[in-house]
Amino acid sequence: MAVSYMDFTSPNVQFTYDLKNNNVFTKDSRNLIDALGIQQLNTLGNVSLLDIFLSTGNVVEPHIHQNASELVYCIAGAAVVSLINPFTKQLLNFPIAPGQVANVPQGWWHYEIATADNTHLLAIFDAPVPEVILGSDLLRLTPASVYAHTYCLDEATWKAAVAPITNSVFIGPPVGCANNQVAGAAAAPQHAGYHRGQTAGVMAGPSNAGVPYQQQPYAHRERPAYGYPQFPGSGPHGGWGYGHYNG
């Protein structure tokens, strides 16, 4: 635990918090992320978490946490946690079901795909505020000319391919995706209705096989709920914006 300099006699000391009061992204009622960091609970040490709700086929987009490791715990439903081992250059896919975890070392490229409706994941970080770099931001903010020159690509083709990515995605595919084949669209439960479900799969261990989801072209990007994120410590480091959006 980090050394705390909190004045525990202060009337502002906090020991409890309701995560539903800090939603950092909502795609719809079944796909959203709530967060807890030191801004919400000032007695926290070197820990923070994301409360993640997903329906079948929805993806917490590829990203890295440059300042924290991430332990993903499955509460309900099922998901595949995928990561690239930068030392072996392998893509590893770890299916997890209720009671199972997958660990993502600090700075590793990774993503999570729900393989069952009502999936509920808890992502735990060894930092009071986990910083994040999203794949969608790397794709849309790096000039097409740089990709084309570096990888010997046709610039016009690349530019057209990534042009629909106009905002940070967080959870994909976006609402309104023209080729969206995401399953489980019926009977969408509300946020409070998520519960521990039956085990939808077993831990299969690492695999280089493709996960059971076919990424489709993007046709639309929606903005995060309540506006755009106010990242902690503004600058190049990024973050999950552990405060209400002002939109």
Side-chain angles (χ1 to χ4, degrees):
M1 177 177 174
V3 176
S4 175
Y5 297 97
M6 180 71 199
D7 178 5
F8 288 99
T9 67
S10 168
N12 298 319
V13 68
Q14 299 168 304
F15 296 102
T16 185
Y17 188 80
D18 187 339
L19 270 72
K20 290 191 293 294
N21 292 329
N22 190 41
N23 172 255
V24 296
F25 182 81
T26 293
K27 175 180 175 179
D28 55 40
S29 63
R30 298 177 301 150
N31 296 277
L32 55 99
I33 302 173
D34 297 333
L36 178 74
I38 199 168
Q39 293 96 331
Q40 288 71 52
L41 193 61
N42 58 21
T43 55
L44 279 180
N46 203 39
V47 66
S48 54
L49 59 85
L50 299 177
D51 204 20
I52 303 169
F53 299 88
L54 299 170
S55 57
T56 303
N58 278 268
V59 187
V60 178
E61 69 162 307
H63 61 283
I64 66 170
H65 302 290
Q66 64 269 41
N67 73 326
S69 299
E70 176 180 355
L71 182 65
V72 184
Y73 175 74
C74 183
I75 298 172
V80 176
V81 178
S82 299
L83 54 90
I84 292 178
N85 184 327
F87 299 97
T88 64
K89 304 299 189 290
Q90 287 181 300
L91 172 65
L92 304 177
N93 299 312
F94 297 98
I96 57 174
Q100 298 175 335
V101 301
N103 190 52
V104 181
Q106 179 178 337
W108 285 26
W109 185 251
H110 66 285
Y111 50 94
E112 296 90 16
I113 303 179
T115 55
D117 281 337
N118 298 343
T119 290
H120 185 186
L121 305 175
L122 190 65
I124 306 165
F125 303 91
D126 55 355
V129 177
E131 297 172 349
V132 65
I133 298 174
L134 300 173
S136 56
D137 291 340
L138 295 179
L139 290 172
R140 69 190 180 89
L141 297 176
T142 304
S145 59
V146 173
Y147 283 113
H149 176 72
T150 304
Y151 304 112
C152 194
L153 303 174
D154 180 77
E155 182 175 345
T157 301
W158 175 262
K159 185 179 294 185
V162 300
I165 309 176
T166 59
N167 292 313
S168 303
V169 173
F170 289 94
I171 297 176
V175 174
C177 179
N179 295 312
N180 190 353
Q181 301 298 319
V182 176
Q190 295 301 311
H191 179 279
Y194 282 86
H195 60 278
R196 176 177 287 275
Q198 298 295 319
T199 299
V202 295
M203 179 68 81
S207 149
N208 289 322
V211 293
Y213 174 73
Q214 187 71 32
Q215 180 65 36
Q216 301 293 345
Y218 292 112
H220 173 71
R221 290 297 182 278
E222 73 281 5
R223 58 188 275 174
Y226 313 125
Y228 292 99
Q230 301 298 315
F231 292 129
S234 60
H237 303 296
W240 281 96
Y242 288 146
H244 292 296
Y245 290 134
N246 299 310

